[in-house]
Amino acid sequence: SATLLANSSFCLPLLEHVEVRASLMLEARAYAHHYERYGTSFADLEAARDALRGQVADYRGLEDRAPPVELLSRLSFSPPEKGARPPPAPP
């Protein structure tokens, strides 16, 4: 089995959409009273929005790098031969 982790800007359009919507709602104080009623302050909501903006900025930074798909296309994986034993575990 193999596991591949890749960080890409694929989710950026969705995050940008959520950030715009959240900012507009926060500016209008929409639903803020519901959060405040249960102990989340308006400052907490602003901090969450700012954290989301930071994530959006980080993902925008990934757009300047080579996409993982291009890197993966250079790799070659072949299945193990039939009956081959797995390599020994490191000590």
Side-chain angles (χ1 to χ4, degrees):
S1 72
T3 302
L4 173 69
L5 298 175
N7 201 1
S8 75
S9 60
F10 181 76
C11 63
L12 185 57
L14 176 62
L15 288 177
E16 288 173 328
H17 174 76
V18 170
E19 190 272 324
V20 168
R21 293 282 312 263
S23 293
L24 290 172
M25 291 175 70
L26 199 57
E27 288 173 18
R29 294 189 68 93
Y31 304 105
H33 65 283
H34 292 292
Y35 290 97
E36 290 169 341
R37 181 177 178 184
Y38 293 100
T40 302
S41 70
F42 191 74
D44 292 334
L45 296 173
E46 289 177 314
R49 187 233 7 239
D50 293 342
L52 177 58
R53 284 182 174 166
Q55 291 296 314
V56 168
D58 289 344
Y59 277 107
R60 280 190 186 127
L62 288 176
E63 289 183 321
D64 298 333
R65 300 179 188 162
V69 174
E70 290 177 11
L71 297 175
L72 291 175
S73 66
R74 298 181 200 161
L75 300 175
S76 167
F77 295 100
S78 57
E81 294 178 19
K82 190 173 183 179
R85 295 179 178 220

